[in-house]
Amino acid sequence: MAFYEWLQRPALPQPPPIEPREHDLFGNIEAVPKKAGKPKAGSRPVFKFEMPDGAPYVLAGLYSEWRPRKGSDDPPLDTFSIVTTEANELTDPIHDRMPVILHPRDYDRWLNDYDESRPPIDLLRPYESEGMTMTPANRLVGNVRNNGPEMLNSA
């Protein structure tokens, strides 16, 4: 399990794009020579953030069911949002925010009723940098035409 962030800080050095022959990402096809020039829109490097052992983790989220007005034929709509917080030291060079990652000890407090005098706002903090890893992600990530397990492989 991982989350991905695209480079939001353009002053940082950017790695070169992956060419078609690299890492067999596109099968056995020849690379087409490219003209040098500005990077295309959407070609920013993408990075993968995960636990060092690849273990799954839990993101803080908010769930709500939107109900249409009385008399409407529209069905209810389930909505979900991932809660973000400021970046930790690992994610900060790439992006100024990151998802809130909950520790197992905090699951029950986040998910269940809590004391109204002490809402779980203190859980909305950056996860410890030393508990995560960052690697360049596969450049296939972020294109809706791409879908498959090969996208999980790092660049």
Side-chain angles (χ1 to χ4, degrees):
M1 175 175 182
F3 72 88
Y4 298 88
E5 286 293 353
W6 283 256
L7 184 65
Q8 299 293 316
R9 308 210 185 236
L12 295 175
Q14 299 185 17
I18 295 175
E19 296 299 327
R21 296 277 299 159
E22 291 181 305
H23 306 292
D24 285 326
L25 295 177
F26 301 98
N28 192 14
I29 61 171
E30 293 298 320
V32 177
K34 295 181 183 178
K35 296 178 185 176
K38 292 175 132 181
K40 292 181 183 177
S43 65
R44 291 176 294 149
V46 60
F47 295 88
K48 179 167 70 169
F49 295 88
E50 59 190 334
M51 298 299 138
D53 60 0
Y57 51 87
V58 173
L59 303 180
L62 301 173
Y63 168 83
S64 180
E65 181 180 70
W66 174 83
R67 295 183 180 265
R69 294 182 187 185
K70 282 189 173 185
S72 171
D73 292 334
D74 293 329
L77 177 67
D78 294 332
T79 61
F80 180 81
S81 298
I82 294 173
V83 180
T84 60
T85 188
E86 63 189 1
N88 63 17
E89 295 84 11
L90 184 66
T91 59
D92 186 59
I94 307 304
H95 205 287
D96 62 355
R97 58 138 170 89
M98 66 180 291
V100 172
I101 300 172
L102 297 172
H103 289 275
R105 67 178 180 260
D106 298 323
Y107 296 171
D108 189 57
R109 187 159 166 242
W110 182 261
L111 292 171
N112 297 307
D113 291 334
Y114 53 86
D115 181 354
E116 292 290 331
S117 66
R118 189 176 168 250
I121 293 172
D122 58 300
L123 302 181
L124 305 179
R125 63 190 179 290
Y127 195 83
E128 299 80 12
S129 294
E130 57 276 2
M132 302 172 64
T133 61
M134 176 182 77
T135 55
N138 191 316
R139 294 298 289 257
L140 294 173
V141 171
N143 184 328
V144 296
R145 293 179 300 216
N146 300 327
N147 187 17
E150 67 278 2
M151 293 175 64
L152 298 174
N153 300 328
S154 293

